[in-house]
Amino acid sequence: MIDFELSPNIQSSRQMIHMVAEQLMRPISREYDEREHEKPTEFLETMWKLSAGTSFGSDREADKKAAASGPKEGNLASCVSIEELSWGDAGLYLSIPNPGLGGAAVLAAGTAEQKQRFLAPFKDGAPKWGAMAITEPHCGSDSAALLTTAVRDGDDWVLNGTKIYCTSGLMATEKSDGFVVVWATVDKSAGRAGIKSFVVPAHTPGMKVIKVENKLGIRASDTAMMVFEDCRIPLDNILGSAEVKAGTEGFKGAMATFDATRPLVAASALGIGRAALDFAREALERAGVTIRYGAAPSTLTAVERDFMEIESELQAARLLTWRAAWMMDRGKRNNLEASMAKAKAGLAVTRVTQKAVEFLGPLGYSRKLLLEKWMRDAKINDIFEGTQQINMLIVARRILGYSSKELS
Amino acid sequence: MFDLEMTEDQKLIHETVTSFAAAEIRPLSRDCDESGEIPAGLAGKGFDLGLIHSAIPEEQGGFGEQRSAITGAIVAEALGWGDLSIAMHLLAPRLVVYPLLDAGTPEQRTTLLPAFASGYLAATAAVVEPRFDFDTTRFATTAAAKDGGFVLNGAKCFVPLAQEAETILVLAQLGDERAGFLVPRGAAGVTIGEREKNMGIKALATYEVGLENVVVPATARVGDDAAVERLLNHSRIALGALALGMGRAAYEYARDYAKERKAFGVAIAQKQAIAFILAEMAIETDAARLLLWEAAWMLDQGKDATRECVLAKRYASNACLKITDNAVQVLGGHGYVRDHPVELWLRNARGFTSFEGMAIV
């Protein structure tokens, strides 16, 4: 039955996480934007204690089983939590110790043994991070063009190549006992079919972070450039089959990770957008401007019109995001819907935050307030985890029934 | 708990109305737009689906089913996909029936509803006023208490089927509150103008209605200010869902055309310039549907939902206009000629920012 009410469990965890966002994140938000590359150690320790053991992403097999045993809402719950944390601070949210996107890849494509081996350490001990390394200096959206190689040598895979824009890459590989999931080709002549993902544990010899990026926003989160030089990992650290099959099935499997993570990234965008929208609404109200929803169109001011527009853009993005998560919870394929949500949310949050800066005029542009920061933070959502354009391309292929060859 | 799955009943209704729209409505759309007429008999076929009387209580001859704004949105989308004018024509009796179900007195229901339950009976509501600053929060049409009844004065426009409807529900300002008044078409002081000539919805007969010292008894009043707000909100969902249905029709038509039409050796849909337009259409129709369903769900929960209804209707109207405009663009010259339906949808789409209270869920 069509129902827009979140379950009592989700509502109560949302309230709790909102308090964390308000009391632990907002007070240090500006500080760690200005002190890029420094870590809020106390906050990270606290979050590790609060959230150890919670995973990020979706275990496809578990979802299917759960769907058979009754309605589940783990993915939706993650979306709601991530929106709250990102309402607090998106950069700090991304820097929270957890398996991250690497964990999502393990959940989506790993065996039961791999899930246990790589994810169990996240249940206790010192804080740990997981990361995912796909992008290379010469290719981003065109991930099938990557050059990093994985060559089998006896009982090892040997990785060679350079990866960039790896979120939490430094924390995952050098500052904790985490891991990074690295995409590499086992057979360049096979094209997409040769691309596989590998789990590289922290401190593995031959892996080194050589640069941490300076960025427009989400400065509290480290974004690493790393090189792999004869980096050896055990054979069973490959996610999925090592076999190179004709066609693109293997690559599609790897891309399926994104069906799980795109709604979560969209949810983070929603949090930043809501922060800006809430702030703008309150500021306008203090200045005597209230939004009159039912008023005659001819009497609406430009601010009222703009506000209504961004408010509904954000809500539309939220519902598309919740739908994609809900489908995953029900064990339904959500490739199309996940890309719809991500494309919409990335664009919506970009517009919402830019408009909110405009509403506040010179105050909005000042670093005394967080609005300008939210605008800078927001933009990454239109880029990472598939740019807006890549997600539009995926939507277009799906609605038209085209392969990537037919529509490139 | 959050859920987007229709009930089994809703799925059945959706399937039934969708097939009806494809088989009975869409094939007539162009001819009706050109001739300005809807064939006699079509309204009866629509009635037989249960569009009007399913929500009328059994004692008045209906099915007594729970009225649901979400189900209404599902139905309106499917009908709007077929043709906007025909959809509004088929749904017009609801403009009197639903306000009576919501806020009518037992006498009003007993007197009026049985006729609506036994077959298609034209009825209408007079909501919009012919002025650029038309304001649903304060009507310029007035009602004043006099001699135990009311006197109505003012002008209305976009009143569907006013020439054939026996009963017109007039929304008017009664001091500081708004209210509805049942006005017989033949009452003294009521003038039905010439049929309006609009850019779109050309198959739907709409009229200006003048009210000059029209006297109605106290028993003609339907509802209070809150009831008018509910009526307007249910109307916003209906109009938004009709816009959504028409937008989806335009999206599907443009999508299918773009896969057929070749340029430079490939289907034009294989060009990103076209493919991205189509992708945006798909996203915006889904987004509009979710916003409308959410607002409708709030109405069904009895919550105050003016904000959500206004935003959902605005969103759906804007999306529909952009989608229909882009559908014309995707077809290019073929979109501009009347051999294809997309120009008709564009003309219809422009109206939603002016339409209020012309359909109801």
Side-chain angles (χ1 to χ4, degrees), chain A residues 176-224:
Chain A
S176 78
D177 293 328
F179 65 86
V180 58
V181 171
V182 178
W183 289 33
T185 174
V186 295
D187 178 1
K188 208 165 291 169
S189 68
R192 287 158 186 261
I195 292 171
K196 305 287 173 186
S197 50
F198 302 86
V199 181
V200 183
H203 317 300
T204 301
M207 169 172 66
K208 189 170 172 46
V209 171
I210 59 167
K211 185 185 177 192
V212 181
E213 305 288 349
N214 300 314
K215 303 189 299 294
L216 172 68
I218 53 162
R219 291 180 179 162
S221 165
D222 74 89
T223 304

Side-chain angles (χ1 to χ4, degrees), chain A residues 142-162:
Chain A
D142 184 11
S143 41
L146 56 84
L147 293 174
T148 298
T149 54
V151 176
R152 187 172 169 176
D153 181 31
D155 290 337
D156 293 336
W157 290 104
V158 182
L159 303 185
N160 277 286
T162 305

Side-chain angles (χ1 to χ4, degrees), chain B residues 180-212:
Chain B
F181 298 89
L182 294 166
V183 178
R185 186 192 62 216
V190 174
T191 50
I192 311 292
E194 290 292 301
R195 181 169 165 175
E196 290 169 338
K197 295 187 171 80
N198 297 313
M199 170 169 70
I201 55 168
K202 285 164 69 181
L204 181 71
T206 67
Y207 301 86
E208 281 205 25
V209 173
L211 302 149
E212 201 183 339

